[in-house]
Amino acid sequence: MKFETVSENRSFGGIQGVYRHQSEATGTTMTFAVYLPPAAEHGKVPVLWYLSGLTCTHENAMTKAGAQEWAAEYGIALIFPDTSPRGEGVADDEAYDLGQGAGFYVDATQKPWAPHFRMWHYVTHELPELVFSNFPLDREAQGITGHSMGGHGALTIAMTMPERYRSVSAFAPIANPSDSDWGRKQFTAYLGDDHAAWESHDASVLMRERGYPGEVLIDQGASDQFLDLLKPASLAQAMIERRQPGEFRMQKGYDHSYFFVQTFVADHIRWHAERLG
């Protein structure tokens, strides 16, 4: 699979790269970022996928999360995909929470979204094949995390494919989208009125139905301005009912911003490193 190097910069002894390729899944040009720690110079390294939130591109977490320092220390590669297809001819909406920048990590089945909005397939199939074929990454040691809409994606993907992802965490995930305006609107647009399809992309529903075979780490800011949309209590209750091993931490005074992510990203990378070996 061919790709183009947009940029590569030295960072904490490793390389932060940005790359571009033509995606068959979305039918568009897609941009993604990969951080390779110094350990990648000597062999394959574990992989942590970071899925970003509404309005973001690959760049937000790459430049704002402060993750490279800790990835270098623990010898983990980071992969930052984009959040949606983009470009001329790609459906969009005037609202920030639908269309470009708001793919919700689902494969759309409805017009006008279906031709390009196939972010589930892109993140779980196409992009992995590209990066594992071209970078020194250990396919058997993958973890996944994300923030907000990306936390939703990380949790639903990990619970759907637990045999692939040996660790999972999330920052302020959209936890119960089937029962939130950050979910019902987008699921109706992308997936139609089939609520069974919605529930297969709802972390709280999946937690009740199947859970995750390992431990789960969730950090949520207690002063998050979007608590009514994120619905963390639904996920916390589902974890209790499932008796899901892990931690759900309400962090006093923290909001939804990348200052929150920066504060706890070291904890999350350490968490994944312990489980990825």
Side-chain angles (χ1 to χ4, degrees):
M1 300 177 70
K2 296 180 180 180
F3 66 95
E4 170 192 353
T5 300
V6 177
S7 63
E8 289 185 333
N9 300 94
R10 181 67 68 177
S11 176
F12 294 98
I15 296 293
Q16 178 61 69
V18 177
Y19 309 95
R20 184 184 297 126
H21 74 112
Q22 187 63 33
S23 167
E24 292 184 6
T26 67
T28 66
T29 299
M30 297 292 289
T31 303
F32 65 97
V34 177
Y35 176 72
L36 293 177
E41 296 179 4
H42 309 291
K44 294 183 178 180
V45 294
V47 180
L48 179 59
W49 294 84
Y50 185 105
L51 306 185
S52 292
L54 287 167
T55 75
C56 292
T57 69
H58 69 280
E59 188 174 17
N60 295 73
M62 182 185 77
T63 58
K64 294 180 180 180
Q68 289 87 347
E69 177 180 4
W70 305 105
E73 178 173 335
Y74 290 103
I76 292 180
L78 303 171
I79 303 179
F80 305 98
D82 202 347
T83 57
S84 79
R86 301 176 190 273
E88 187 176 352
V90 177
D92 201 7
D93 191 89
E94 293 181 357
Y96 73 94
D97 58 356
L98 183 66
Q100 296 186 35
F104 260 77
Y105 304 101
V106 302
D107 285 347
T109 59
Q110 306 298 303
K111 295 179 179 180
W113 314 102
H116 301 293
F117 280 73
R118 301 184 66 231
M119 289 305 295
W120 179 279
H121 187 86
Y122 178 72
V123 167
T124 63
H125 292 88
E126 185 178 37
L127 187 56
E129 288 306 310
L130 189 156
V131 297
F132 285 113
S133 297
N134 291 282
F135 297 91
L137 308 175
D138 186 351
R139 190 186 290 265
E140 303 305 315
Q142 296 184 65
I144 191 167
T145 188
H147 174 226
S148 193
M149 180 184 72
H152 139 79
L155 292 170
T156 56
I157 288 171
M159 284 189 279
T160 303
M161 301 179 174
E163 70 287 348
R164 180 186 299 185
Y165 301 95
R166 287 168 47 183
S167 58
V168 61
S169 71
F171 300 88
I174 299 175
N176 190 194
S178 296
D179 193 35
S180 169
D181 287 342
W182 273 358
R184 286 181 301 223
K185 170 184 175 179
Q186 294 81 3
F187 287 175
T188 300
Y190 297 146
L191 303 174
D193 295 325
D194 181 3
H195 284 234
W198 295 14
E199 292 179 353
S200 67
H201 294 284
D202 188 308
S204 295
V205 173
L206 292 176
M207 181 60 68
R208 291 190 182 93
E209 291 182 348
R210 62 182 72 173
Y212 179 72
E215 297 176 297
V216 174
L217 173 62
I218 311 290
D219 271 314
Q220 171 63 62
S223 296
D224 194 313
Q225 58 271 47
F226 302 115
L227 284 175
D228 59 328
L229 294 166
L230 301 170
K231 296 191 175 294
S234 297
L235 180 58
Q237 184 60 40
M239 291 177 68
I240 292 170
E241 293 173 5
R242 185 75 190 182
R243 299 184 182 180
Q244 171 68 48
E247 298 182 43
F248 194 112
R249 310 189 305 191
M250 292 295 290
Q251 302 291 1
K252 184 178 180 180
Y254 285 91
D255 60 15
H256 199 69
S257 71
Y258 264 95
F259 296 109
F260 159 65
V261 175
Q262 291 169 9
T263 302
F264 300 104
V265 72
D267 288 355
H268 283 244
I269 293 178
R270 185 183 306 111
W271 170 278
H272 289 277
E274 291 170 352
R275 287 152 183 81
L276 297 176

